[in-house]
């Protein structure tokens, strides 16, 4: 929606296509806040950039991080002007809280539902400008014509009809792929559709091996307990009641960056200092009033899904899959290697997060690069001829879908999806090794075979979620392929990619991005290329918190 | 634990589309939610079951439904809390007040149309400041209480006024309107209140409390509607039945120490409002014959002045 707003303001005809009502999107789940170094209160964008780069384990492209850090203040203030009710300090100015991996407090927030508040504010602006929204339209494929992206085929879920949506440019802003893992903090809609569609269309996907496990998720259903809890002072305890982060990150303690904290927790759990596979998040000392005002949502989540009240008892938590740092390779203007195709947000990889994203940088990424891709795509289309592309794609897609509907016997998508998720969570989690990743690759071959035989019970067309979930499973299998390929390729440990068999970072050989592209027809493995990391002013150092 | 999940189904593409109930047997534990159960059904048992859901943690607002007749979010409703006496099935039906598309999927258009009708975007006036607007954390926290609305439509489903009057803006849209009326940065509150003062607006709520009880995020839509009634009257929008009713109620109690419903009705509509009086006549006659007619006499408590003094004291403090 941020991209659509800037494109609309730039005077082009733009529409949002979304498989859910826009306010249902997963940006809702960003709880803790949004980072920005506001220079009028003594913070420096360079400090924000450095924290981000150090957090990324030096895999982020520093020129891109500089753009994000420089534009952060304007985006946050812009959202405030549109109506976001950010927390205030005693002078009535925007208040901040601490967040992981950062030396200064620069996280602006609305209680613990910052993403929800910002998403709804953007939706208000979309309504104000009258931007057309195709609500509950599910994109089945991008349309390519002579190497150029000329739009997409989408299904109007209410009727089941397919439509070729011709466009001079497509901005892919379809979010992450969390459901490739089981469990995950991600919503059920996070199935990597955009990443897979771009990959199938020939786009390069980058840093896919970098999968973030969030340190504080509930065991039961994978629900997220915001980093804001630790930002506001909560402790992590092991089964012996010890604040174990002392041994792993003596300076930053619980507020070390996420990969560091998740590894520490996993080590505690693996070495037996856990309670039922969990460590404890303890916020009792913050007091009930403070918790209600700033952490009310996660207090309720703890009560609802773990049966524990954060205000009166520690809540069992563990690392859980949360975010994909990688995505469709895009530059700071959102451009990909495909003419007419742009990408922004979690779907894209600019790369500002590198090997590990800092908390409260994801909302910022979506806004800064959403705005920029909207501006650049709308400028670019002004010089482009009308989209060509042949309406016969509608018929071809229809036939493909009908063939899936016509299958008579077989298993449902559900068990295949669960098996995929469990394999990924077993072999591509906090700690990885060669044998495990190879096992995942072998499992994926089997799962693809099973997918070919998946049956769709619902033979109708109206709101056929059964068909949609089946198509999403196909996208997830593609995403998994790129994650496994990238992970097997990177023969070092960096950021979220930690190999027990190769525990050290190796800047001499691996200070570079891995870009995965789809292999030619008939080749089962994807193609791999390397792209150098852009270093501007921060030479890689040993990373300590 | 074993539980029977009784789901209301509807397939618009069936030869003769009609609603029916289908039972699924599930095994659940203390933490299993109704949504978990429905997801299990559609992923492993019957793929044709259609419902909206996404985040599973009460933030996306997708899974409004009726469980045992009550509007809820499926993701926060645990079986253990709704299973009731042993063997009783848990019944799941689509959200109310909205048209049916398929199974548990309803047409949300009505909900969104009402949201759009309140022009839900900030309308500041004057030049935009270079930095943020200055305001207090207290004011922002108060707003956050309303911005916590996730547009789940549970209140839209449960609203008893929407059930009979589709012109009513409804609790969700009115709460959204309040979010701007109460925003110190918004300078259109008087206009907004003027709009909301019309038919279908703040005065059409019957205060049945359903939206307050059912809201999964404690947004308190009815409380916001009541707050806007006060603000509208302060802004001078007193020329309507709702405002005259509130004023008359206040005056009568202040003067007599108790309420006289006969005079309340007369004063609400205006004593010489003949057409309205004629409309009320049949109700009056029925009430009279059933012995429900309020007395026409001016009843007072023994010491009405003491009540008047309480009112005056509170009025003084509010100034």
């Amino acid at each position: 929606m941020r991209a659509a707003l800037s494109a609309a303001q730039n005077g082009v005809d733009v529409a949002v296509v979304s498989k859910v009502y826009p306010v249902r999107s997963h940006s809702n789940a960003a709880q803790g806040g949004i980072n920005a170094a506001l220079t009028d209160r003594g913070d420096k964008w360079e400090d924000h950039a450095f924290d981000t780069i150090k957090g990324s384990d030096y895999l982020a492209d520093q020129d891109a991080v500089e753009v994000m850090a420089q534009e952060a203040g304007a985006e946050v203030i812009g959202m405030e002007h549109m109506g976001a009710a950010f927390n205030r300090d005693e002078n009535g100015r925007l208040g901040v809280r601490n967040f992981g991996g950062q030396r200064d407090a620069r996280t602006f927030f609305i209680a613990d539902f910052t993403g929800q508040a910002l998403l709804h504010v953007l939706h208000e602006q979309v309504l104000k400008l009258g931007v057309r929204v195709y609500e509950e339209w599910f994109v089945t494929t991008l349309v390519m014509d002579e190497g150029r992206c000329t739009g997409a085929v989408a299904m109007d879920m209410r009727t089941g009809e397919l439509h070729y949506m011709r466009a001079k440019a497509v901005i892919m802003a379809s979010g992450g792929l969390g459901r490739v893992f089981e469990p995950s903090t991600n919503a059920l809609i996070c199935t990597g559709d955009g990443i897979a569609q771009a990959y199938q269309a020939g786009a390069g996907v980058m840093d896919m091996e970098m999968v973030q496990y969030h340190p504080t998720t509930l065991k039961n259903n994978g629900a997220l307990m915001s980093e804001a809890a630790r930002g506001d002072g909560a402790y992590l305890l092991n089964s012996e009641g010890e604040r174990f982060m002392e041994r792993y990150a003596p300076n930053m303690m619980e507020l070390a960056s996420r990969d560091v904290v998740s590894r520490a927790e996993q080590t505690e759990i693996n070495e037996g200092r856990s309670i039922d596979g969990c460590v404890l998040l303890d916020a009792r000392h913050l007091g009930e009033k403070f918790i209600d005002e700033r952490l009310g949502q996660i207090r309720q989540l703890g009560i609802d899904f773990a049966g524990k009240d954060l205000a009166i008892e520690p809540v069992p938590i563990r690392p859980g899959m949360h975010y994909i740092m990688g995505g469709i390779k895009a530059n700071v203007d959102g451009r990909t290697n495909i003419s007419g195709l742009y990408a922004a947000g979690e779907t894209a990889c600019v790369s500002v997060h590198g090997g590990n994203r800092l908390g409260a940088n994801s909302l910022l990424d979506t806004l800064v690069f959403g705005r920029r891709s909207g501006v650049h795509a709308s400028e670019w289309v002004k010089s482009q001829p009308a989209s060509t592309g042949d309406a016969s794609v509608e018929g071809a897609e229809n036939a493909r879908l009908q063939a899936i509907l016509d299958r008579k016997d077989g298993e449902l998508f559900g068990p295949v999806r669960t098996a995929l998720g469990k394999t990924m969570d077993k072999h591509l989690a906090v700690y990885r090794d060669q044998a495990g990743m190879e096992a995942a690759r072998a499992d994926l071959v089997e799962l693809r075979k099973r997918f070919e035989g998946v049956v769709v019970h619902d033979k109708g067309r109206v709101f056929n979620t059964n068909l949609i979930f089946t198509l999403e499973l196909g996208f997830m299998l593609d995403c998994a392929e790129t994650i496994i390929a990238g992970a097997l390729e990177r023969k070092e440990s960096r950021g979220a990619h930690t190999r027990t068999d190769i525990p050290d970072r190796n800047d001499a050989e691996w200070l570079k991005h891995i870009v995965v592209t789809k292999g030619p027809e008939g080749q089962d493995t994807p193609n791999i290329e390397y792209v150098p990391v852009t270093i501007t002013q921060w030479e890689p150092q040993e990373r300590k918190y | 634990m074993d539980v029977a999940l009784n789901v209301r189904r509807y397939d618009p593409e069936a030869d003769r589309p009609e609603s029916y109930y289908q039972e699924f047997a599930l095994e659940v534990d203390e933490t299993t939610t109704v949504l978990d159960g429905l997801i299990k059904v559609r992923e492993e048992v019957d793929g044709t079951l259609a419902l909206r859901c996404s985040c599973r943690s009460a933030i996306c607002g997708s899974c409004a439904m009726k469980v045992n007749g009550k509007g809820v979010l499926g993701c926060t409703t645990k079986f253990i809390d709704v299973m009731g006496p042993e063997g009783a099935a848990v019944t799941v039906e689509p959200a109310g007040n909205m048209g049916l598309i398929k199974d548990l999927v309803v047409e949300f258009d009505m909900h969104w149309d009402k949201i759009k009708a309140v022009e839900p975007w900030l309308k500041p006036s004057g030049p935009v400041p270079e930095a943020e607007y200055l305001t207090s954390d207290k004011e922002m926290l108060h707003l956050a209480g309303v911005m916590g609305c996730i547009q789940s439509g549970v209140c839209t489903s449960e609203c008893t006024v929407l059930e009979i009057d589709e012109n009513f803006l409804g609790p969700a849209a009115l709460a959204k309107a309040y979010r701007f009326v109460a925003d110190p940065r918004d300078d259109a509150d008087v206009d907004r209140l003027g709009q909301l003062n019309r038919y279908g607006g703040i005065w059409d709520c019957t205060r049945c409390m359903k939206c307050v009880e059912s809201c999964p995020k404690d947004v308190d839509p009815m409380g916001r509607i009541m707050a806007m009634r006060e603000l509208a009257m302060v802004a001078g929008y007193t020329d309507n039945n709702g405002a005259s009713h509130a004023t008359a109620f206040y005056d009568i109690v202040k003067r007599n120490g108790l309420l006289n419903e006969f005079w309340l009705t007369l004063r609400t509509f205006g004593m010489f409002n003949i057409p309205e009086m004629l409309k009320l006549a049949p109700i009056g006659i029925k009430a009279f014959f059933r012995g429900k007619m309020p007395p026409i006499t001016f009843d007072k408590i023994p010491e009405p002045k003491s009540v008047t003094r309480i009112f005056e004291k509170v009025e003084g403090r509010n100034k």
Side-chain angles (χ1 to χ4, degrees):
Chain A
M1 287 197 286
R2 186 68 190 86
L5 286 175
S6 62
Q9 280 157 345
N10 212 359
V12 301
D13 182 12
V14 61
V16 175
V17 182
S18 171
K19 65 179 177 179
V20 291
Y21 290 110
V23 298
R24 310 279 183 237
S25 299
H26 191 59
S27 299
N28 268 328
Q31 296 170 342
I34 176 167
N35 292 328
L38 291 191
T39 46
D40 65 353
R41 54 212 72 180
D43 202 355
K44 291 206 256 330
W45 70 261
E46 289 90 344
D47 290 350
H48 179 195
F50 173 70
D51 287 342
T52 301
I53 288 159
K54 181 180 171 189
S56 81
D57 216 349
Y58 295 91
L59 188 63
D61 284 319
Q62 299 187 1
D63 52 344
V65 176
E66 288 182 6
V67 167
M68 183 171 81
Q70 283 169 340
E71 294 187 10
E75 275 306 320
V76 169
I77 296 295
M79 290 306 297
E80 197 278 332
H81 289 166
M82 289 179 201
F86 284 107
N87 163 280
R88 305 289 157 148
D89 64 17
E90 58 280 8
N91 301 317
R93 307 205 65 184
L94 298 187
V96 284
R97 64 161 42 122
N98 286 302
F99 237 64
Q102 303 188 69
R103 294 158 300 162
D104 297 302
R106 63 170 71 89
T107 304
F108 298 91
F109 64 100
I110 298 139
D112 58 355
F113 56 88
T114 312
Q116 186 232 314
L118 297 186
L119 185 70
H120 284 236
V121 167
L122 284 179
H123 185 237
E124 290 160 14
Q125 296 297 311
V126 162
L127 294 177
K128 180 183 171 188
L129 291 188
V131 174
R132 176 85 189 259
V133 182
Y134 291 88
E135 290 161 343
E136 301 194 317
W137 280 51
F138 179 85
V139 173
T140 62
T141 186
L142 287 172
V143 179
M144 297 291 294
D145 186 37
E146 294 178 359
R148 179 179 160 197
C149 179
T150 59
V153 176
M155 182 199 294
D156 176 354
M157 290 166 61
R158 204 182 276 201
T159 62
E161 277 169 24
L162 292 178
H163 298 270
Y164 174 25
M165 309 185 87
R166 244 189 218 93
K168 289 183 183 177
V170 173
I171 302 173
M172 198 56 96
S174 53
L177 51 64
R179 302 310 300 168
V180 173
F181 289 71
E182 178 65 40
S184 162
T185 63
N186 284 199
L188 303 181
I189 56 171
C190 301
T191 50
D193 306 7
I195 296 174
Q197 286 157 5
Y199 175 65
Q200 287 293 347
V205 295
M206 187 165 88
D207 296 349
M208 292 303 287
E209 68 278 18
M210 297 302 179
V211 176
Q212 180 164 76
Y213 271 66
H214 193 289
T216 50
T217 72
L218 298 179
K219 182 179 179 186
N220 192 21
N221 67 346
L224 175 67
M225 299 294 274
S226 175
E227 184 166 305
R230 282 171 291 134
D232 283 347
Y235 302 143
L236 290 173
L237 306 176
N238 62 18
S239 61
E240 288 155 23
E242 178 204 7
R243 273 183 84 186
F244 57 86
M245 283 311 297
E246 217 159 32
R247 285 184 274 114
Y248 300 89
N251 298 316
M252 298 287 277
M253 298 289 285
E254 283 87 355
L255 286 179
S257 68
R258 287 178 176 174
D259 58 333
V260 175
V261 180
S262 283
R263 273 193 296 275
E265 289 179 1
Q266 195 61 52
T267 304
E268 292 299 302
I269 293 166
N270 292 350
E271 292 177 1
R273 289 181 293 279
S274 70
I275 299 160
D276 272 346
C278 290
V279 291
L280 298 171
L281 179 68
D282 186 359
R284 288 173 294 182
H285 54 288
L286 300 179
E288 188 167 353
K289 180 169 181 287
F290 182 89
I291 289 173
D292 272 344
E293 280 182 10
R294 293 167 65 121
L295 304 166
Q297 181 191 179
I298 64 168
R299 181 182 183 192
Q300 196 59 46
L301 286 177
I303 294 169
D304 283 344
F305 299 120
K308 301 279 182 195
D309 183 345
L310 196 62
I312 56 175
E313 60 203 318
V315 177
I317 48 87
R318 64 176 184 180
M321 189 281 170
H322 182 58
Y323 187 86
I324 179 77
M325 271 69 78
I328 306 165
K329 182 181 184 329
N331 73 1
V332 292
D333 299 333
R335 286 181 56 182
T336 69
N337 62 325
I338 293 177
S339 175
L341 181 65
Y342 291 73
E346 190 171 348
T347 304
C349 178
V350 179
S351 143
V352 285
H353 308 305
N356 171 65
R357 174 176 68 77
L358 293 188
N361 265 354
S362 60
L363 287 174
L364 180 61
D365 170 14
T366 64
L367 291 175
V368 168
F369 296 106
R371 186 192 72 80
R372 291 180 66 94
S373 51
V375 168
H376 288 270
S378 55
E379 276 309 313
W380 182 77
V381 296
K382 286 176 185 168
S383 65
Q384 294 300 307
S387 164
T388 51
D390 183 350
S392 68
V393 288
E394 256 174 37
E397 270 301 271
N398 214 14
R400 181 172 76 91
L401 268 44
Q402 193 58 49
I404 297 172
L405 289 175
D406 288 343
R407 289 181 201 152
K408 293 270 178 332
D409 305 300
E411 60 180 335
L412 270 173
F413 68 96
V416 184
R417 209 279 306 167
T418 308
L420 168 69
K422 294 214 159 131
T423 290
M424 297 299 281
D425 188 57
K426 186 171 176 196
H427 299 302
L428 287 121
V430 175
Y431 287 115
R432 305 167 170 180
D433 61 33
Q434 184 73 20
M437 292 187 288
E438 281 174 4
R441 186 166 61 184
D443 286 349
L444 189 64
V445 174
E446 283 307 304
L447 290 167
R448 276 201 186 278
K449 277 192 203 135
R450 281 171 68 182
F451 174 64
E452 296 303 319
V454 160
V455 70
V456 176
H457 287 169
D458 192 342
K459 304 298 180 194
R461 284 295 179 120
V462 174
F463 228 92
N464 188 340
T465 48
N466 194 179
L467 174 61
I468 282 168
F469 299 146
T470 305
L471 296 172
E472 286 173 343
L473 176 58
F475 298 143
M476 287 191 268
L477 290 164
D478 287 344
C479 289
E481 174 176 299
T482 64
I483 293 169
I484 295 168
L488 275 166
E489 188 66 21
R490 186 171 289 281
K491 293 173 184 68
E492 64 158 353
S493 289
R494 182 185 298 272
H497 177 69
T498 307
R499 299 181 56 142
T500 50
D501 50 353
I502 316 177
D504 294 324
R505 195 173 88 186
N506 178 353
D507 286 343
E509 284 176 78
W510 289 103
L511 186 59
K512 56 189 178 192
H513 299 289
I514 295 167
V515 178
V516 180
T517 47
K518 194 171 151 46
E521 205 66 39
Q523 177 185 319
D524 340 332
T525 50
N527 290 337
I528 302 278
E529 293 162 56
Y530 302 124
V531 175
V533 173
T534 308
I535 306 282
T536 56
Q537 45 179 310
W538 296 280
E539 282 302 319
Q541 306 164 5
E542 194 193 346
R543 193 157 159 255
K544 277 187 183 160
Y545 285 100
Chain B
M1 295 176 285
D2 292 322
V3 65
L5 186 60
N6 196 22
V7 186
R8 184 160 157 183
R9 305 292 309 266
Y10 174 75
D11 177 8
E13 292 170 286
D15 292 337
R16 273 182 303 173
E18 54 189 15
S19 282
Y20 62 97
Y21 288 86
Q22 186 177 3
E23 202 169 285
F24 299 97
L26 289 176
E27 206 184 300
V28 300
D29 63 32
E30 304 80 48
T31 61
T32 313
T33 66
V34 171
L35 180 62
D36 292 335
L38 292 165
I39 290 173
K40 195 170 170 66
V41 168
R42 77 172 187 191
E43 287 203 351
E44 294 172 21
V45 184
D46 181 352
T48 65
L49 179 65
L51 73 147
R52 294 189 181 100
C53 60
S54 182
C55 74
R56 301 160 298 133
S57 47
I59 196 72
C60 77
S62 303
C63 65
M65 58 184 73
K66 280 185 189 270
V67 173
N68 293 343
K70 273 192 181 163
V72 293
L73 285 183
C75 68
T76 52
T77 308
K78 286 186 212 133
F79 276 109
I80 200 164
D81 297 327
V82 291
M83 279 166 68
E86 220 169 305
V90 172
T91 302
V92 178
E93 294 162 306
N97 286 341
M98 290 173 271
L100 200 51
I101 296 178
K102 181 178 184 174
D103 293 341
L104 302 176
V105 179
V106 295
E107 290 170 359
F108 240 75
D109 312 51
M110 177 263 260
H111 177 93
W112 296 118
D113 288 345
K114 291 177 188 302
I115 297 286
K116 287 173 197 164
V118 303
E119 303 192 352
W121 49 82
L122 196 72
K123 297 182 184 179
S125 66
V128 176
E130 203 161 292
E132 68 271 38
Y133 287 98
L134 294 181
T135 158
S136 74
D137 195 39
K138 198 174 159 204
E139 286 170 309
M140 290 296 110
L141 266 179
H142 180 68
L143 279 191
V146 198
M147 290 181 88
C149 170
I150 56 174
Q151 304 294 346
S152 70
V154 173
C155 62
T156 305
S157 158
E158 300 306 281
C159 176
T160 53
V161 178
L162 281 175
E163 207 175 308
I164 53 160
D165 181 5
E166 60 183 29
N167 188 61
F168 182 43
L169 279 170
L174 287 170
K176 186 84 178 171
Y178 178 78
R179 175 252 167 282
F180 296 101
V181 167
D183 194 320
R185 301 165 295 183
D186 189 281
D187 289 319
D189 2 338
V190 174
D191 281 355
R192 289 183 190 277
L193 290 166
Q195 293 289 329
L196 299 170
N197 197 45
R198 296 181 186 170
Y199 169 45
I202 48 181
W203 296 103
D204 287 21
C205 164
T206 59
R207 300 206 284 185
C208 73
M209 299 285 291
K210 286 275 191 185
C211 59
V212 182
E213 284 169 18
S214 62
C215 176
K217 304 301 279 189
D218 290 334
V219 170
D220 183 16
M222 192 193 88
R224 315 302 179 177
I225 298 170
M226 295 308 123
M228 287 192 290
R229 286 184 178 178
E230 266 189 73
L231 291 168
M233 287 173 71
V234 171
Y237 295 110
T238 49
D239 186 21
N240 60 67
N241 294 341
S244 350
H245 180 84
T247 312
F249 197 113
Y250 185 91
D251 286 348
I252 292 170
V253 177
K254 181 179 171 186
R255 196 173 313 147
N256 305 323
L258 54 77
L259 186 67
N260 179 305
E261 285 168 318
F262 182 79
W263 289 103
L264 178 67
T265 312
L266 283 191
R267 284 203 40 198
T268 297
F269 293 106
M271 225 162 306
F272 305 103
N273 187 345
I274 306 298
E276 203 61 43
M277 290 300 119
L278 287 176
K279 265 196 250 168
L280 284 171
I283 302 173
I285 292 164
K286 261 193 224 163
F288 178 78
F289 282 111
R290 305 237 166 118
K292 302 277 184 193
M293 186 72 164
I296 301 177
T297 50
F298 283 101
D299 285 343
K300 286 184 183 189
I301 59 166
E303 281 281 345
K305 285 242 161 64
S306 58
V307 171
T308 309
R309 277 199 299 277
I310 296 172
F311 271 74
E312 283 166 356
K313 194 156 190 186
V314 174
E315 283 164 4
R317 195 179 296 164
N318 285 348
K319 270 170 200 160

